Amino acid sequence: MARSAGPLTAPYLKLKAEAHHDLGSTATNDAIIQLVLIALHFLSSDCTTVPLKSRVPGKRYYSYALKTNTSAISRPVNESLFEPAESVISTQWKNRSTLTSGELTKMVYTMATAYSVASDLFDRNNKKGPATYLEQLIGHIFACELGKNPTKNATLPLEKGIKVRMTMDFIFDLGKNRPKVHLPVKSSTRERVVQAWAHQRLLDKAYGEGVYKAILVIHSETKLDLRTLEVVEIAVPDQWLAYQSLLATMERIYYLDPPDRYLALSEKYPIIQLRQFGDFFSECKDLLK
Amino acid sequence: MARSAGPLTAPYLKLKAEAHHDLGSTATNDAIIQLVLIALHFLSSDCTTVPLKSRVPGKRYYSYALKTNTSAISRPVNESLFEPAESVISTQWKNRSTLTSGELTKMVYTMATAYSVASDLFDRNNKKGPATYLEQLIGHIFACELGKNPTKNATLPLEKGIKVRMTMDFIFDLGKNRPKVHLPVKSSTRERVVQAWAHQRLLDKAYGEGVYKAILVIHSETKLDLRTLEVVEIAVPDQWLAYQSLLATMERIYYLDPPDRYLALSEKYPIIQLRQFGDFFSECKDLLK
């Protein structure tokens, strides 16, 4: 049973059903943009913006709040990455093959954020809804670009003929002579992100390195202090270096709102290949051939 | 700032200070038993028990509730493992070298559970306090048995002379020609337990397999449905087999309240060495020589 999210409940349930039935389908495509447009409309008509104090150099953030209750605010929105105009997003989504990487990143950031922000205003404790939605959005985009639907079940052969099944994030089988794709999708990496590297290590050890290529997609690393209205960005570069060097290798890490500290880390240590999400569209063919 | 837990707040803060200063000290020893006796006294004088519906074959559970508010109940207590009598625990703790493995398991189960249960009755959302306390109790017992205090910092050498520091669970350095010990302590394994195996893999890869021996200590796997008052036990044997076969090896997994499904798994697959916690006291010398 989905928690109530006002005008978003019905289109969210519709998307859930379509995504479950066929993640890469036109019906899922339509359900996603429908939900996003309803969320953007709700934000522009029923909500107001609340400025936040950004402690992140070079980035400005605001929250949304219901006009009828400005004390309860949403998660932070990156001003330069969020496009509130429905018509812009609707047109871009239809013509996404014509967009630059920066435009694609901004479009997907907006689509990923609009529903989550609106959901916050109905129930700030509902973390599962926005997380599931982000998975569906990114999973759909991958399914379209790769021409295949993913599964969430991995079968791992152990010793002595034992096989175990494990639920993972998305797994795409692209067919003979092509790498398989392991796609973890996370709202942020503060908690449990080690799981993405650990799952990749399970796949590497069970099937051999290189059989599965790992691509980690993350929304952002912002943290809002509801008391002071300050936004900070959390980065744990040492942990990432350790995971990437000693546990398993993520072929790419894509961010919708890339933290500058991670971009700098990636530049200094090429073992970490971090990009804005829009780059995926142009490089995915080369990456996964 | 610790959250209020009535008569437990002051002795909890005392333990926290002593444990931080010297985990294996007599002062920490005294602070632990002091806190446990205050918790047991509080449970017997101010609380009543509420029977639960056990869905775990062969185990019976109850909760505690304040006499003044029986609608808010604590986490479940395993009836056959919990010794409510202060005098019994006080005497056993002093003379623990004379106890059997079963008696030791019951004593430590009681000591681990008494504070957490009492804390629940003041603030059911305070998960950090009980988790930290469990770490301190188990860490203290290991520090006493191993004759060394642990650290929580691991330094991991990566390629090209890069070193990173990571916070882990307890790490014991037993000196030259002896294995080092990696000791993760968890209330249950439902969430984030993959981290324990992943950290061990980091240590294995950075230092070579066998340099660090991993011992995982877990309280229990019970889950209470507050609505129906039913207690179930969650086990994920396939995940465990995969982690233990493909990620890293836990030398031992000790439970204060061992789930029968895991005991059966351990019997069927000797790669998983699972024991009741009391066994640690008699086998630790052999295990870590």
Side-chain angles (χ1 to χ4, degrees):
Chain A
M1 182 59 204
R3 307 201 203 184
S4 172
L8 302 161
T9 307
Y12 173 76
L13 291 175
K14 166 86 172 149
L15 166 58
K16 206 171 161 183
E18 296 295 354
H20 182 75
H21 177 63
D22 183 348
L23 189 58
S25 68
T26 310
T28 299
N29 178 93
D30 295 349
I32 287 173
I33 192 66
Q34 191 66 18
L35 177 61
V36 168
L37 295 178
I38 289 171
L40 288 174
H41 182 75
F42 165 77
L43 293 175
S44 66
S45 62
D46 294 13
C47 303
T48 181
T49 61
V50 178
L52 301 173
K53 293 172 204 142
S54 173
R55 297 287 175 241
V56 189
K59 293 185 181 179
R60 291 157 59 97
Y61 294 92
Y62 62 86
S63 284
Y64 280 98
L66 285 168
K67 282 178 186 165
T68 52
N69 173 18
T70 53
S71 64
I73 64 174
S74 75
R75 65 190 65 195
V77 172
N78 183 321
E79 197 174 294
S80 72
L81 285 172
F82 193 78
E83 173 51 68
E86 298 157 56
S87 60
V88 173
I89 294 300
S90 168
T91 307
Q92 285 188 333
W93 181 245
K94 272 190 214 114
N95 306 299
R96 56 191 195 262
S97 63
T98 66
L99 304 181
T100 66
S101 173
E103 287 166 338
L104 285 160
T105 302
K106 183 168 177 175
M107 175 192 76
V108 179
Y109 178 87
T110 302
M111 295 177 72
T113 308
Y115 171 72
S116 309
V117 161
S119 165
D120 285 347
L121 300 178
F122 292 97
D123 181 358
R124 215 177 194 290
N125 292 318
N126 180 5
K127 293 189 177 146
K128 193 150 192 303
T132 304
Y133 167 72
L134 179 66
E135 272 190 20
Q136 286 161 348
L137 172 65
I138 302 298
H140 171 74
I141 291 172
F142 270 69
C144 291
E145 297 300 313
L146 304 179
K148 283 267 182 174
N149 273 332
T151 163
K152 302 201 90 177
N153 292 310
T155 303
L156 299 168
L158 311 182
E159 285 176 353
K160 297 177 190 165
I162 304 162
K163 282 185 183 187
V164 297
R165 280 169 73 91
M166 268 191 65
T167 302
M168 294 203 175
D169 288 279
F170 295 121
I171 302 277
F172 292 84
D173 186 344
L174 304 181
K176 259 193 158 178
N177 300 322
R178 292 188 66 193
K180 298 181 204 309
V181 180
H182 170 216
L183 171 68
V185 178
K186 307 285 174 198
S187 301
S188 82
T189 64
R190 281 197 291 283
E191 292 190 11
R192 301 192 215 177
V193 76
V194 70
Q195 192 192 61
W197 272 272
H199 281 178
Q200 181 59 27
R201 168 68 187 160
L202 295 178
L203 294 167
D204 286 349
K205 186 85 189 292
Y207 289 99
E209 292 191 18
V211 174
Y212 284 81
K213 288 202 177 183
I215 299 179
L216 173 58
V217 176
I218 306 162
H219 183 280
S220 58
E221 300 292 357
T222 51
K223 190 163 182 277
L224 168 62
D225 185 324
L226 285 172
R227 204 175 34 84
T228 62
L229 298 188
E230 286 183 354
V231 180
V232 295
E233 206 164 51
I234 312 274
V236 285
D238 277 11
Q239 273 184 39
W240 276 38
L241 275 177
Y243 297 161
Q244 187 78 358
S245 304
L246 303 174
L247 204 48
T249 301
M250 297 284 156
E251 196 77 17
R252 284 287 185 279
I253 301 171
Y254 292 113
Y255 268 101
L256 302 185
D257 180 5
D260 284 344
R261 281 178 68 192
Y262 280 145
L263 288 168
L265 184 77
S266 175
E267 210 150 295
K268 191 168 172 195
Y269 301 105
I271 191 179
I272 293 177
Q273 290 289 327
L274 192 140
R275 307 267 194 282
Q276 63 173 338
F277 183 68
D279 286 6
F280 167 71
F281 294 86
S282 56
E283 70 179 3
C284 79
K285 285 221 167 53
D286 279 344
L287 200 60
L288 301 173
K289 68 182 170 195
Chain B
M1 185 56 206
R3 307 200 203 185
S4 172
L8 301 161
T9 307
Y12 174 76
L13 291 175
K14 166 87 171 147
L15 167 58
K16 205 172 162 181
E18 296 296 354
H20 182 75
H21 177 62
D22 184 349
L23 189 58
S25 67
T26 310
T28 299
N29 178 92
D30 295 348
I32 287 173
I33 192 66
Q34 191 65 16
L35 178 60
V36 169
L37 295 178
I38 289 171
L40 288 174
H41 182 76
F42 165 76
L43 292 176
S44 66
S45 62
D46 293 14
C47 302
T48 181
T49 60
V50 178
L52 301 173
K53 292 171 204 143
S54 173
R55 296 287 174 241
V56 189
K59 295 185 180 179
R60 290 157 60 96
Y61 294 92
Y62 63 86
S63 285
Y64 280 97
L66 285 168
K67 282 178 185 164
T68 53
N69 173 18
T70 53
S71 64
I73 63 173
S74 76
R75 64 190 64 196
V77 172
N78 182 322
E79 198 176 293
S80 72
L81 285 172
F82 193 78
E83 173 51 69
E86 297 159 55
S87 59
V88 173
I89 294 300
S90 169
T91 306
Q92 286 189 333
W93 181 245
K94 271 189 214 116
N95 306 300
R96 53 191 195 263
S97 63
T98 66
L99 304 182
T100 65
S101 173
E103 287 166 338
L104 285 161
T105 303
K106 184 169 176 173
M107 176 192 75
V108 179
Y109 178 87
T110 302
M111 295 177 72
T113 309
Y115 171 71
S116 309
V117 161
S119 165
D120 285 347
L121 300 179
F122 292 98
D123 181 357
R124 216 180 192 286
N125 292 317
N126 180 5
K127 294 191 175 144
K128 195 150 190 308
T132 304
Y133 167 72
L134 179 67
E135 273 190 20
Q136 286 160 350
L137 172 65
I138 302 298
H140 171 74
I141 290 172
F142 269 70
C144 291
E145 297 299 312
L146 304 179
K148 282 267 180 172
N149 273 333
T151 162
K152 302 201 88 177
N153 292 312
T155 303
L156 299 168
L158 310 183
E159 286 176 352
K160 296 176 189 166
I162 304 163
K163 283 186 184 188
V164 297
R165 281 169 72 90
M166 268 191 66
T167 303
M168 292 201 177
D169 289 278
F170 295 123
I171 301 277
F172 292 85
D173 185 344
L174 304 182
K176 259 192 159 178
N177 301 324
R178 292 189 65 194
K180 299 180 203 309
V181 180
H182 170 217
L183 171 68
V185 179
K186 307 285 172 198
S187 301
S188 82
T189 64
R190 281 198 291 286
E191 293 192 10
R192 298 189 219 180
V193 76
V194 70
Q195 191 190 63
W197 272 272
H199 282 177
Q200 181 59 28
R201 169 69 188 160
L202 295 178
L203 294 167
D204 286 348
K205 186 85 189 288
Y207 289 100
E209 292 190 18
V211 174
Y212 285 82
K213 287 201 177 185
I215 298 178
L216 174 58
V217 177
I218 305 163
H219 183 281
S220 57
E221 301 291 355
T222 50
K223 190 163 181 279
L224 169 61
D225 184 325
L226 286 171
R227 203 174 35 83
T228 62
L229 298 186
E230 286 183 356
V231 180
V232 295
E233 206 164 50
I234 312 274
V236 286
D238 276 11
Q239 273 183 39
W240 276 39
L241 275 176
Y243 296 162
Q244 187 78 358
S245 304
L246 303 174
L247 205 47
T249 301
M250 298 283 155
E251 196 77 16
R252 285 287 185 277
I253 301 172
Y254 292 113
Y255 268 100
L256 303 186
D257 179 5
D260 284 343
R261 281 180 69 192
Y262 281 145
L263 288 169
L265 185 76
S266 174
E267 209 149 298
K268 189 167 173 195
Y269 301 106
I271 190 178
I272 294 177
Q273 290 289 328
L274 192 141
R275 309 267 194 282
Q276 64 172 339
F277 183 70
D279 286 5
F280 167 71
F281 294 86
S282 56
E283 70 178 2
C284 79
K285 284 220 167 54
D286 279 343
L287 200 59
L288 301 173
K289 68 182 169 197

